[in-house]
Amino acid sequence: MMLTDDPKAENQRNYQKLIVALEASQGILNLLIAVCDDRNLREKLIRQYETELRQQDFLTYRIRVRNQDPSLRYAVAQLIEAEPDLQQDKPAVITVLGIDELLSVKLDAPKSEEDRFFGYLQWTREALRQFRFPIVLWLTEPMLARLVEKAPDFWSWRGGVFWFKRESAPLELARDNVSQHISKTVSEEPGGLPLEEILRLIEQIEAQEKEAPLLATLYESLAEAYEQRYHSQQERQLAIKAYEKAIALQTKLGLKADLASSLEKLGNLYFEFQDEVKKANDCYQQALLIYQNIGDRQGEANRLRAISNVLQFLKRSEQKFKIKTLQQRFDLLSSDYEAAYNQLNYTFSASDRNIIQRQINTILQELEQVESELNPMKNSSNLRKNYLEQLIAYLKTEIESISRQINFTLNEVDKNKLQRQLDDKFDEIEKADSELSQLNQKSLELEHSLEES
């Protein structure tokens, strides 16, 4: 969680991210976690996104976790049974409340309400796949820390965590410290478990000769743990092997969504240093087929973009090799031309001069042909750079225009829509600027490689 001197501005940014996630998650299960300790602020935010989504013809529902039987799956299933519209796959968002009200003490039961809730989350995670809409769980910060610890499998399925801070009064230092600790745990420990604990659980389950979905999840979490902490090629290879074991289990157990996710992550790892690009493409292609098969439109779109990046990289690599080969051929022909021309100057026999002249003409023809192939390839990146520079200038103009509209717009819903448009423009300009920087870097690398050759 980012700490800021302006909690209202930070809350608004996180709210916009939450809205975008809700709008983009229709037709798929997406478990979103909203963290807020201020009940009044929580209610205000929920009403705000419910109002905004209803204006876009979304259905909005609230459910409370029951103290007697604190099962998220059961509560959602009961709601669907009672609401015919939810059974027709209409756009909907379900908000889950009451989690922070569960008792953490056992009283006269074997387990506390809180422990049973986390147990249900951990062991009935697979049953949630039948629900094809976003679910927002509202938690307090202490409850989030316990969820990460007690339901790591459920936690690994999260689609996003959105933090909202108190706006009415400054946060106490101790609470800030808790927030920083939780945030660090969330970002650095996949699934909420340290690497050593993941290894221990894997060993325990494998000793029982079980091939359960939990084992596949643990191998995926192990790969993520190695991936986030690796500082050597050995740790990178350990991450790859862990993903491969997760993929083998997910394939055998028919866990399609998890399999697509693991293939996607393994592909990212292969593509990271661009040293095993074809393997990355194979992973992306397999993930794409699964996403298409299960109807995950967002996953399909993401993999198509990744495959496009891979193909562009392969095309650039092929072009770079071809440019280098043509440049070497051009340099060799230039050297042959210079040698033949010098020989011509020291040759006096007419017949010998004619032979040398024909050689020079042949060399010049080849030089012209190589140059005609080489120049367009060298200039193509310059055309792309010019386009990106023009696009960035256009986007800056658009950002200025939208910013002025926001300042003169009084309707809150319209202002929110404009803000999302503004965020999209910032994302576009960031991507264009990143690509432009990469093209400039590749131009420098190409110049260096040609000089070295």
Side-chain angles (χ1 to χ4, degrees):
M1 181 177 67
M2 295 176 59
L3 297 175
T4 176
D5 293 332
D6 186 356
K8 288 187 177 181
E10 182 65 20
N11 287 345
Q12 182 60 26
R13 281 192 289 271
N14 288 332
Y15 174 80
Q16 295 300 334
K17 293 176 183 177
L18 175 59
I19 282 288
V20 170
L22 291 171
E23 292 174 343
S25 303
Q26 294 309 306
I28 60 172
L29 172 67
N30 196 3
L31 300 171
L32 306 174
I33 297 174
V35 186
C36 181
D37 287 353
D38 187 333
R39 289 176 178 269
N40 293 329
L41 175 61
R42 179 193 309 174
E43 179 62 26
K44 173 187 171 185
L45 291 168
I46 294 171
R47 286 183 180 177
Q48 187 175 343
Y49 71 65
E50 285 179 338
T51 301
E52 188 169 341
L53 291 172
R54 282 196 210 100
Q55 291 175 349
Q56 301 178 52
D57 296 326
F58 281 67
L59 302 172
T60 61
Y61 300 95
R62 297 191 193 189
I63 58 175
R64 298 189 72 83
V65 177
R66 302 191 319 161
N67 299 72
Q68 299 84 358
D69 186 16
S71 166
L72 175 62
R73 188 208 63 79
Y74 178 80
V76 175
Q78 288 291 101
L79 174 65
I80 293 175
E81 186 178 342
E83 295 291 341
D85 286 340
L86 276 176
Q87 300 169 21
Q88 298 174 19
D89 292 331
K90 293 184 177 180
V93 173
I94 295 179
T95 299
V96 182
L97 300 169
I99 299 171
D100 52 308
E101 298 172 8
L102 297 173
L103 294 176
S104 59
V105 294
K106 295 181 180 180
L107 297 178
D108 57 346
K111 291 185 177 181
S112 69
E113 294 170 356
E114 185 181 294
D115 286 338
R116 281 187 289 151
F117 173 72
F118 289 132
Y120 280 129
L121 288 186
Q122 178 72 353
W123 303 113
T124 63
R125 182 189 73 162
E126 294 293 329
L128 295 173
R129 290 186 187 278
Q130 61 184 297
F131 308 132
R132 304 180 67 82
F133 35 72
I135 299 174
V136 188
L137 285 76
W138 283 87
L139 307 172
T140 58
E141 289 182 358
M143 185 63 77
L144 174 67
R146 293 198 285 277
L147 182 148
V148 171
E149 177 187 358
K150 296 183 179 181
D153 284 358
F154 178 85
W155 171 251
S156 70
W157 273 22
R158 67 196 182 281
V161 181
F162 307 89
W163 302 80
F164 300 99
K165 298 166 63 177
R166 293 180 186 274
E167 298 177 354
S168 55
L171 290 173
E172 300 170 3
L173 181 60
R175 182 174 295 279
D176 264 345
N177 289 338
V178 169
S179 300
Q180 291 182 55
H181 171 71
I182 293 174
S183 179
K184 184 177 180 182
T185 302
V186 167
S187 61
E188 294 184 358
E189 296 292 352
L193 290 174
L195 186 143
E196 293 74 15
E197 179 66 13
I198 296 173
L199 288 168
R200 186 189 67 77
L201 288 170
I202 288 174
E203 183 180 0
Q204 179 181 331
I205 295 173
E206 287 185 334
Q208 301 171 9
E209 298 183 353
K210 289 183 178 179
E211 291 185 338
L214 177 58
L215 184 59
T217 300
L218 286 170
Y219 269 118
E220 185 177 5
S221 295
L222 178 64
E224 291 174 351
Y226 278 129
E227 191 175 356
Q228 290 202 16
R229 67 180 275 177
Y230 75 73
H231 302 290
S232 67
Q233 182 64 19
Q234 181 183 5
E235 287 181 319
R236 181 170 183 260
Q237 289 303 317
L238 288 171
I240 289 173
K241 287 180 179 179
Y243 275 128
E244 288 173 344
K245 287 187 176 181
I247 287 167
L249 283 166
Q250 289 158 349
T251 302
K252 187 172 184 179
L253 297 170
L255 306 174
K256 292 185 178 181
D258 289 345
L259 175 58
S261 175
S262 294
L263 285 166
E264 180 179 340
K265 292 171 184 174
L266 179 57
N268 292 340
L269 193 55
Y270 279 138
F271 193 60
E272 183 178 6
F273 295 113
Q274 298 179 342
D275 55 347
E276 296 180 282
V277 180
K278 290 185 178 179
K279 287 185 178 180
N281 189 46
D282 289 342
C283 290
Y284 291 153
Q285 293 284 0
Q286 291 177 61
L288 174 63
L289 289 175
I290 295 170
Y291 282 131
Q292 289 173 336
N293 182 256
I294 63 179
D296 186 338
R297 294 189 298 274
Q298 186 175 359
E300 181 181 352
N302 289 339
R303 283 318 89 217
L304 285 170
R305 281 195 293 270
I307 290 169
S308 175
N309 291 336
V310 169
L311 294 177
Q312 286 179 21
F313 173 81
L314 290 172
K315 185 177 180 181
R316 286 196 301 268
S317 299
E318 182 182 350
Q319 187 181 45
K320 181 179 176 180
F321 176 77
K322 191 170 182 179
I323 289 174
K324 185 175 180 178
T325 303
L326 287 170
Q327 186 66 50
Q328 289 173 340
R329 178 65 179 157
F330 185 87
D331 293 341
L332 182 62
L333 288 168
S334 297
S335 178
D336 289 346
Y337 171 81
E338 186 178 350
Y341 188 79
N342 289 334
Q343 186 180 1
L344 183 67
N345 289 333
Y346 291 99
T347 300
F348 299 100
S349 167
S351 60
D352 290 343
R353 286 179 66 87
N354 286 337
I355 292 172
I356 295 172
Q357 187 61 56
R358 284 197 295 273
Q359 292 175 348
I360 289 174
N361 291 341
T362 301
I363 292 171
L364 286 173
Q365 287 177 357
E366 288 189 48
L367 274 171
E368 185 178 349
Q369 182 180 350
V370 170
E371 192 173 21
S372 68
E373 292 182 50
L374 193 58
N375 285 338
M377 297 175 70
K378 283 186 172 181
N379 292 333
S380 62
S381 62
N382 291 330
L383 291 172
R384 181 63 179 172
K385 283 191 277 187
N386 289 337
Y387 164 74
L388 290 170
E389 288 169 354
Q390 294 175 11
L391 176 62
I392 290 170
Y394 165 75
L395 288 170
K396 287 180 178 178
T397 304
E398 286 285 287
I399 287 171
E400 291 176 3
S401 173
I402 295 172
S403 298
R404 285 195 295 269
Q405 291 181 56
I406 290 175
N407 291 334
F408 290 101
T409 300
L410 299 177
N411 184 286
E412 200 64 30
V413 173
D414 292 341
K415 185 174 288 190
N416 289 338
K417 289 181 180 177
L418 287 169
Q419 183 62 50
R420 289 200 297 278
Q421 291 178 20
L422 188 64
D423 291 341
D424 289 342
K425 298 297 179 186
F426 276 120
D427 288 342
E428 287 182 54
I429 205 170
E430 184 178 349
K431 289 177 183 176
D433 188 58
S434 174
E435 184 182 350
L436 183 60
S437 299
Q438 290 175 10
L439 284 173
N440 289 330
Q441 180 63 29
K442 289 183 187 301
S443 297
L444 290 173
E445 290 174 0
L446 180 60
E447 289 176 11
H448 290 320
S449 67
L450 292 176
E451 290 171 3
E452 290 172 0
S453 63

